[in-house]
């Protein structure tokens, strides 16, 4: 594989949690990243961040090779905003898109870990979005993404495991009381989802030509939204 083939310019967006981010990468080089705090559903700020990163790198959307976006699980509104933004950019430029799991992205905050990584988002309602990955240069799924009660998720863990994400923060006491010394927690900064970690996944997918058709670029919610639940109740389902 030549150096030119590795130089894939990708704009990556993550809006799956309380802290959304945008990254711009060229191959294995991070050109810039913007973290937006809790205004994950503010599409105006998201587009401003995209514009600012491109301007700083002296690039245009047409000058990119691909776009990438986290598909969830996570915030229903946030995930929709991120996917809609990337779809719009892809349609305007004709560039391909890579979609990836937000939990896999979070796990990649800890590449080459000697222990499995359990990314956890607080899903509320006493549940978490969680999975289990072996993280080398890329995440390898050990337990698929799921929405699950934290006790049930922990019951399947029998080896030292690294817990990361706001779900791990919220349920830390439960995790420790259940698993004891098997539970490992990284420094606080690793709990922050980073679009640049998703860019690592997207870069490998782009090199392999594994792009996501726009028609299949849909949110991964794992459970019905409050609106859907309410509709089912009204319909007697």
């Amino acid at each position: 594989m030549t150096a030119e083939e590795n130089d894939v310019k990708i704009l990556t967006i993550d809006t799956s949690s309380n802290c959304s981010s945008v990254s711009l990468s060229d191959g294995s080089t991070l050109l810039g990243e913007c973290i937006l705090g809790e205004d994950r559903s503010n599409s105006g700020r998201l587009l401003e961040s995209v514009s600012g990163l491109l301007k700083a790198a002296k690039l245009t959307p047409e000058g990119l090779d691909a776009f990438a976006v986290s598909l969830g699980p996570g915030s229903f509104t946030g995930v929709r905003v991120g996917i809609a933004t990337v779809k719009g950019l892809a349609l305007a430029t004709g560039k391909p898109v890579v979609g990836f799991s937000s939990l896999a992205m979070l796990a990649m905050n800890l590449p080459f870990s000697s222990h499995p990584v359990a990314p956890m988002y607080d899903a509320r309602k006493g549940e978490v979005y969680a999975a289990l990955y072996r993280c080398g240069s890329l995440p390898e799924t050990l337990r698929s993404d799921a929405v699950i009660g934290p006790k049930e998720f922990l019951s399947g863990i029998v080896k030292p495991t690294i817990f990361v994400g706001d779900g791990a923060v919220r349920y830390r006491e439960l995790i420790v009381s259940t698993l004891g010394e098997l539970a490992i927690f990284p420094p606080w900064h690793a709990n922050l989802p980073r679009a640049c970690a998703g860019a690592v996944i997207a870069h490998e997918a782009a090199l392999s030509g594994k792009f996501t058709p726009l028609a299949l670029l849909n949110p991964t919610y794992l459970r019905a939204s409050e609106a859907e639940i309410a509709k089912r109740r009204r319909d007697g389902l």
Side-chain angles (χ1 to χ4, degrees):
M1 185 174 295
T2 67
E4 290 182 354
E5 288 174 326
N6 277 296
D7 293 339
V8 182
K9 297 180 179 65
I10 302 177
L11 182 84
T12 305
I13 291 177
D14 169 57
T15 52
S16 60
S17 72
N18 285 338
C19 191
S20 58
S21 59
V22 183
S23 77
L24 182 62
S25 56
D26 185 355
S28 59
T29 300
L30 179 64
L31 302 179
E33 185 175 34
C34 183
I35 298 174
L36 300 177
E38 296 191 0
D39 288 335
R40 61 182 182 272
S41 62
N42 189 326
S43 58
R45 286 195 63 199
L46 193 62
L47 290 173
E48 288 174 5
S49 299
V50 169
S51 177
L53 286 175
L54 290 172
K55 183 177 180 181
K58 298 181 180 179
L59 291 170
T60 64
E62 292 76 14
L64 299 175
D65 296 299
F67 297 97
V69 64
S70 61
L71 304 179
S75 160
F76 283 65
T77 300
V79 170
R80 285 198 301 271
V81 168
I83 291 176
T85 300
V86 164
K87 278 188 174 181
L89 290 168
L91 288 170
T93 60
K95 302 296 181 179
V97 172
V98 174
F100 54 83
S101 161
S102 60
L103 289 172
M105 174 195 67
L106 180 57
M108 281 305 292
N109 279 351
L110 298 159
F112 300 105
S113 298
S114 56
H115 301 295
V117 178
M120 300 173 68
Y121 285 133
D122 180 12
R124 303 187 181 184
K125 301 178 183 292
E127 294 179 320
V128 292
Y129 297 118
L132 197 62
Y133 290 92
R134 179 182 293 112
C135 293
S137 58
L138 289 168
E140 176 188 346
T141 304
L142 299 178
R143 286 175 62 181
S144 299
D145 296 4
V147 58
I148 189 172
K151 287 185 179 180
E152 183 181 353
F153 178 69
L154 296 174
S155 67
I157 294 177
V158 296
K159 298 179 180 179
T161 299
I162 303 172
F163 293 87
V164 63
D166 63 9
V169 173
R170 175 166 184 177
Y171 291 103
R172 179 167 181 153
E173 185 175 334
L174 173 64
I175 295 169
V176 171
S177 65
T178 302
L179 299 178
E181 294 183 356
L182 295 181
I184 303 168
F185 298 90
W188 62 268
H189 66 83
N191 293 314
L192 180 67
R194 298 282 298 274
C196 62
V200 174
I201 301 172
H203 178 248
E204 184 63 27
L207 290 180
S208 303
K210 296 178 180 178
F211 296 107
T212 308
L214 287 185
L216 301 180
L217 196 73
N218 298 311
T220 301
Y221 290 141
L222 298 184
R223 74 179 180 197
S225 68
E226 292 292 342
E228 289 172 314
I229 293 172
K231 184 178 186 304
R232 290 175 185 175
R233 287 173 179 167
R234 289 196 301 270
D235 295 342
L237 299 178

